[in-house]
């Protein structure tokens, strides 16, 4: 016999029969139980008749009836979730580069998933220009779900949460990816909780593969989400077997963007949603015209603790000028106050993927190496021949950076 | 005004490694520290205590030894605190943790929502930054992230500056709110000796799953949608050419210049 969805606590039941009246399906009855209580009878449930409506729970004045929890916590009707979504972060008429990187990965995931899964982009904003959605189609989106509403003109976490959660409830995507940006990390985490699913942050590898669900034993196509943990000392592969959608964020520059294909065809669906009012009022946006975006540069000249002094850190700017690059640094430099956190590379700074990463006096803590994994070429100058940075450098110079750096500047000035 | 600050004790991640033979975490000798990003939210709360007489409650979830997090906050001037702790909470991911913490916060506030719940921007063990936003959803309270400065007006409205990737936003709102706070927000104060002495003697309330009325299926490993399937050491990229230029900077510089030339990275 199947287990009943409710459990009656025999110690609390007084045999009053209120639950019997409260049950609309005739699943409860009173049976004689001499000595169990004053009335000598107890409520009993017919498991086959119980429809799990739980109307009996509030009907019992003695709190003797409780819901028996299902063994697996999960989303109902998992199979009804399909498609792979990418959140296309948009600000002031520009789509964030990470959205295109995710669409490139999304094309791979779509092929791995098969069974007619589609790649879809979610675009939020106000008075959105049509070329935005077209760029998403050219990057691989079969469908663009577009929400165009004045309350989405500027990022407000709570309205963003509402919009995306409504779309998820309506269309049931199997997978959703977002960039791990200031926007993506914040509101996306709340979306995951709102739709009661899991979210894996900062994934560095994603693939969809047929996998056995350990709870049910069934084979499922699951998203394998691999990310660094414990400051990059450990990689973990995480899955969300029983909940949908499977949600993940990815930092900018972790995946490579694919060249756009303007001949691609896609459908743009304008979603007219009734959104909540913004919960905060934007007073002003301060955009720093001199804001440094180290991730946008192809050449990075980077410095670390080995530079010893702030003046020495400034030497790097001359080299950056000569090579047409930007200056970045390790955490030690930011902690010492020589550079703002915007220049920091690594786990707590930015992930970068330049063509050239030329670094001086950086030993290569794992957290730092994590941030330069995508660099094409790494050149390192360090006085310690055993510095871990040499393990990843294409060219390693063991030597005194105070000799090498000025000599290199001189060499390039020729 | 009632401010709840959520803090976390974490392993000092710089020392966490994987045992290459068993592929399991080696935790021996790894010290526990207060999450470095959690130093600033309590200070922000204590400033509200100084300026508006706010009551400051500190909550942490973790094993019994995490009580030290609360003692430290009490020493600095927090009014009370609770340790949310039970074996049943073990293995919780960010959804289960957000749920458990929100239930604990409700419990500590007599079923109501506090005016303000503060978090650090993220914890260094998982670096997810997800629990603050998660708690805001369970408490059904507006969320404001990456707060760099917070001002509270006389009428109870707040004005905050938040940091975005391409600049900053200044926003206004009304409590209640859940906020995640950046390092820039406040320099933590020192705890006076008398504070330490009182905190050492304070009895710390411990809340388990029954105390917070948690649904048993939504806590701990069982209540976590995300499952860690495997852990492994990060892949190592082999190093390339290594040149010893000790005592000869010129040699090093020439090698770099030639390499850049070869790669077409310099004109």
């Amino acid at each position: 016999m199947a287990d009943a969805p409710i459990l009656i606590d025999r110690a609390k039941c007084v045999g009053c029969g209120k639950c019997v009246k409260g049950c609309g399906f005739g699943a409860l009855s009173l049976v004689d139980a001499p000595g169990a209580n004053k009335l000598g009878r107890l409520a009993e449930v017919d498991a086959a008749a119980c429809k799990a409506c739980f109307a009996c729970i509030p009907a019992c004045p003695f709190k003797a009836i409780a819901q028996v929890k299902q063994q697996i916590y999960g989303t109902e009707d998992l199979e009804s979730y399909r498609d792979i979504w990418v959140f296309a972060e948009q600000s002031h008429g520009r789509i964030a580069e990470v959205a295109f990187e995710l669409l490139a990965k999304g094309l791979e995931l779509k092929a791995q998933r098969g069974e007619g899964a589609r790649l879809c982009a979610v675009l939020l904003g106000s008075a959105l220009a049509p070329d935005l959605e077209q760029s998403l189609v050219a990057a691989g989106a079969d469908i663009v779900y577009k929400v165009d509403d004045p309350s989405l003109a500027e990022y407000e976490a709570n309205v963003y949460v509402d919009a995306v959660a409504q779309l998820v409830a309506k269309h049931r995507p199997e997978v959703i990816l977002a960039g791990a940006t200031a926007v993506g990390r914040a509101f996306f985490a709340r979306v995951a909780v709102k739709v009661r699913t899991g979210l894996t942050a900062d994934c560095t590898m994603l693939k969809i593969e047929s996998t056995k669900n350990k709870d049910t034993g069934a084979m499922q196509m699951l998203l394998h989400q691999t990310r660094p943990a414990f400051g990059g000392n450990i990689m973990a592969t995480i899955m969300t077997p029983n909940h949908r959608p499977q949600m993940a964020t990815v930092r900018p520059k972790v995946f490579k963007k694919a060249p756009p294909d303007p001949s691609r065809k896609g459908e743009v669906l304008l979603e007219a949603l009734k959104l909540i009012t913004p919960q905060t009022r934007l007073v002003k946006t301060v955009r720093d015209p001199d804001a440094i975006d180290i991730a946008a540069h192809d050449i990075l000249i980077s410095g670390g603790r080995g530079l010893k002094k702030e003046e020495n850190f400034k030497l790097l700017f001359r080299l950056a000028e000569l090579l047409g690059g930007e200056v970045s640094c390790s955490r030690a430099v930011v902690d010492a106050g020589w550079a703002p956190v915007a220049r920091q590379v690594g786990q707590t700074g930015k992930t970068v993927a330049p063509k050239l990463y030329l670094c001086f006096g950086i030993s290569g803590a794992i957290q730092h190496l994590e941030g330069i994994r995508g660099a094409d070429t790494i050149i390192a100058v360090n006085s310690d021949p055993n510095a871990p940075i040499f393990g990843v450098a294409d060219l390693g110079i063991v030597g005194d950076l105070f000799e090498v750096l000025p000599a290199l500047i001189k060499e390039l000035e020729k | 005004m009632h401010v709840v600050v959520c803090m976390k004790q974490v392993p000092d991640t710089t020392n966490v490694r994987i045992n290459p033979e068993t592929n399991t975490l080696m935790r021996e000798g790894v010290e526990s520290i207060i999450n470095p990003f959690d130093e600033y939210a309590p200070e922000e709360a204590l400033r509200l205590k100084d300026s508006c007489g706010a009551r400051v409650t500190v909550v942490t979830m973790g094993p019994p030894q995490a009580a030290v997090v609360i003692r430290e906050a009490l020493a600095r001037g927090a009014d009370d605190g609770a340790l949310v702790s039970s074996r049943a909470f073990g293995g919780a991911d960010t959804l289960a943790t957000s749920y458990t913490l929100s239930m604990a916060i409700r419990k500590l506030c007599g079923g109501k929502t506090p005016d303000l719940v503060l978090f650090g921007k993220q914890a260094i063990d998982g670096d997810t930054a997800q629990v603050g936003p998660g708690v805001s959803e369970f408490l059904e309270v507006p969320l404001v992230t990456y707060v760099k400065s917070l001002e509270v007006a006389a009428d109870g409205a707040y004005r905050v500056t938040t940091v975005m990737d391409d600049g900053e936003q200044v926003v206004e709102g009304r409590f209640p709110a859940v906020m995640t706070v950046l390092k820039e927000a406040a320099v933590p104060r020192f705890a006076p000796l008398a504070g330490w002495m009182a905190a050492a003697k304070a009895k710390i309330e411990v809340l388990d799953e029954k105390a917070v009325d948690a649904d048993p299926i939504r806590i701990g490993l069982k209540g976590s949608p995300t499952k860690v399937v495997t852990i492994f050491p990060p892949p190592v990229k082999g190093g390339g050419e290594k040149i010893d230029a000790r005592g000869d900077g010129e040699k090093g510089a020439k090698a770099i210049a030639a390499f850049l030339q070869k790669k077409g990275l310099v004109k």
Side-chain angles (χ1 to χ4, degrees):
Chain A
M1 195 182 82
D3 286 338
I6 58 161
L7 188 72
I8 300 164
D9 187 341
R10 301 171 78 96
K12 286 185 185 163
C13 179
V14 300
C16 69
K18 288 214 166 98
C19 58
V20 177
K21 288 196 195 92
C23 177
F25 302 96
L28 286 156
S29 57
L30 291 169
V31 292
D32 287 330
N37 47 43
K38 266 190 209 154
L39 296 170
R41 55 192 203 185
L42 287 168
E44 195 174 70
V45 60
D46 175 0
C50 177
K51 296 281 182 275
C53 73
F54 307 116
C56 52
I57 294 175
C60 174
F62 305 97
K63 296 197 167 87
I65 305 179
Q67 186 178 342
V68 175
K69 305 299 176 204
Q70 288 176 350
Q71 258 178 339
I72 304 164
Y73 175 46
T75 308
E76 276 177 31
D77 210 2
L78 287 190
E79 288 70 30
S80 66
Y81 288 74
R82 56 178 296 200
D83 295 342
I84 291 153
W85 283 18
V86 167
F87 175 70
E89 182 179 335
Q90 179 275 138
S91 165
H92 304 100
R94 260 196 76 241
I95 292 174
E97 283 294 294
V98 66
F100 297 108
E101 296 160 13
L102 293 177
L103 283 167
K105 178 53 75 176
L107 284 170
E108 289 172 29
L109 295 176
K110 172 178 133 172
Q112 290 162 6
R113 179 64 184 90
E115 294 181 54
R118 297 166 301 182
L119 180 59
C120 312
V122 174
L123 179 62
L124 309 182
S126 176
L128 291 162
D131 57 321
L132 294 183
E133 62 212 39
Q134 287 316 315
S135 69
L136 295 171
V137 170
D142 299 308
I143 294 175
V144 178
Y145 293 110
K146 178 166 121 171
V147 187
D148 199 311
D149 189 289
S151 63
L152 295 166
E154 295 274 354
Y155 168 71
E156 205 276 340
N158 305 289
V159 187
Y160 266 51
V161 170
D162 186 37
V164 174
Q166 284 194 43
L167 291 176
V168 169
K170 185 170 167 192
H171 299 288
R172 302 187 164 214
E174 193 172 22
V175 169
I176 323 183
L177 310 177
T181 60
V183 167
R185 294 190 130 211
F187 95 93
F188 211 55
R190 182 160 176 170
V191 171
V193 170
K194 197 174 191 79
V195 305
R196 301 287 194 269
T197 190
L199 170 61
T200 307
D202 294 345
C203 295
T204 53
M205 283 183 265
L206 291 172
K207 66 174 177 186
I208 294 180
E209 224 173 63
S210 181
T211 312
K212 190 172 178 177
N213 181 319
K214 282 188 185 148
D215 297 318
T216 64
M219 293 306 286
Q220 288 171 300
M221 291 300 276
L222 288 182
L223 181 67
H224 293 225
Q225 310 154 48
T226 301
R227 71 176 306 250
F230 293 103
N233 288 303
I234 285 163
M235 301 297 291
T237 300
I238 293 162
M239 290 183 218
T240 310
N242 302 319
H243 294 70
R244 293 293 176 275
Q246 302 164 81
M247 293 175 67
T249 66
V250 178
R251 303 177 86 184
K253 297 284 173 183
V254 167
F255 296 140
K256 290 235 184 321
K257 166 179 167 174
D261 177 356
S263 70
R264 277 204 181 102
K265 295 272 176 288
E267 204 179 340
V268 179
L269 297 175
L270 187 65
E271 294 278 347
L273 304 179
K274 192 168 164 17
L275 297 172
I276 58 162
T277 53
Q279 304 290 294
T280 55
R281 191 180 74 79
L282 183 70
V283 178
K284 61 179 173 183
T285 305
V286 188
R287 302 184 74 197
D288 181 2
D290 306 320
I292 316 148
D293 183 9
I294 54 169
H297 287 267
D298 280 340
I299 293 179
L300 287 177
I301 313 301
S302 207
R305 197 192 304 272
L307 285 159
K308 296 200 172 86
K309 274 195 270 183
E310 188 169 5
E311 298 93 274
N312 299 333
F313 181 69
K314 289 188 178 140
L315 286 175
L316 301 179
F317 286 86
R318 176 62 188 144
L319 187 56
E321 197 184 324
L322 286 167
L323 288 167
E326 184 54 272
V327 174
S328 59
C329 65
S330 70
R331 182 171 176 171
V333 168
V334 173
D335 286 348
W338 306 342
V341 70
R343 291 199 190 272
Q344 186 187 325
V345 171
Q347 188 77 17
T348 48
K350 280 226 164 89
T351 300
V352 296
K355 289 202 176 79
L356 172 66
Y357 189 75
L358 171 52
C359 60
F360 296 87
I362 289 180
S363 61
I366 188 82
Q367 292 88 339
H368 190 82
L369 300 185
E370 198 54 45
I372 57 172
R373 192 200 291 270
D376 287 342
T377 301
I378 298 170
I379 303 178
V381 180
N382 204 295
S383 57
D384 173 9
N386 299 317
I389 190 78
F390 289 128
V392 300
D394 299 279
L395 175 65
I397 308 291
V398 184
D400 184 347
L401 72 92
F402 298 108
E403 290 174 12
V404 178
L405 182 54
L408 180 61
I409 290 173
K410 220 189 220 167
E411 187 73 26
L412 293 170
E413 278 171 342
K414 275 186 200 165
Chain B
M1 187 181 192
H2 189 191
V3 184
V4 173
V5 185
C6 296
M7 298 175 72
K8 188 181 187 187
Q9 192 185 49
V10 295
D12 188 351
T13 56
T14 43
N15 297 319
V16 179
R17 294 281 182 276
I18 283 187
N19 179 330
E21 269 134 49
T22 57
N23 256 7
T24 51
L25 282 185
M26 298 195 294
R27 283 180 183 265
E28 301 84 56
V30 177
E31 216 187 320
S32 287
I33 55 172
I34 292 180
N35 173 36
F37 291 119
D38 286 350
E39 301 277 358
Y40 314 103
E43 177 59 30
E44 197 65 75
L46 290 171
R47 286 183 186 184
L48 292 172
K49 180 177 177 171
D50 296 342
S51 62
C52 335
R55 171 183 158 207
V56 177
T57 301
V58 179
V59 179
T60 193
M61 182 170 152
Q65 65 266 29
V68 65
V69 174
I70 309 233
R71 290 193 199 280
E72 192 173 318
L74 292 176
R76 288 206 166 100
D79 296 288
D80 46 51
L83 169 68
V84 184
S85 187
S86 163
R87 294 195 80 88
F89 297 143
D93 72 355
T94 56
L95 180 72
T97 302
S98 302
Y99 169 72
T100 307
L101 269 178
S102 65
M103 294 301 279
I105 292 168
R106 278 189 204 279
K107 182 80 190 177
L108 288 166
C109 300
K112 295 202 200 83
T113 339
D115 301 290
L116 180 60
V117 183
L118 295 176
F119 284 83
K121 86 163 178 175
Q122 65 199 56
I124 60 164
D125 52 349
D127 279 315
T128 72
Q130 285 168 198
V131 172
V135 167
S136 78
E137 175 59 33
F138 280 120
L139 293 179
E140 298 174 40
V141 158
L143 168 69
V144 183
T145 51
Y146 303 112
V147 170
K148 186 181 138 176
S149 74
L150 165 66
E151 288 163 49
V152 178
D155 65 349
Y158 61 79
R159 176 185 273 232
V160 298
T161 304
T162 69
V163 176
M164 311 274 292
D165 290 322
D166 58 350
E168 293 174 353
Q169 279 189 347
V170 179
V171 301
E172 285 178 344
R174 300 199 78 86
F175 294 118
V178 170
M179 298 185 187
T180 70
V181 173
L182 297 177
K183 183 178 175 178
E184 289 86 341
V187 179
R189 66 189 64 187
F190 286 104
L193 187 61
W196 279 116
M197 301 196 13
K201 276 183 264 167
K203 189 166 158 31
I204 311 276
E205 187 181 2
V206 179
L207 299 174
D208 65 6
E209 66 276 23
K210 288 201 184 73
V212 305
D213 296 323
D215 180 347
I217 202 157
R218 293 173 64 185
I219 57 172
L221 195 58
K222 216 170 38 171
S224 298
T226 58
K227 315 279 180 203
V228 177
V229 181
T230 44
I231 56 170
F232 55 95
V236 188
K237 181 187 165 193
E241 198 186 346
K242 199 152 124 188
I243 290 167
D244 193 339
R246 277 176 282 194
D248 187 358
E250 198 105 339
K251 180 182 166 193
K254 284 208 154 66
I256 295 173
F259 194 88
L260 294 176
Q261 200 91 46
K262 195 175 77 188
K263 290 264 175 186
L265 290 162
V266 71
K267 275 162 253 152

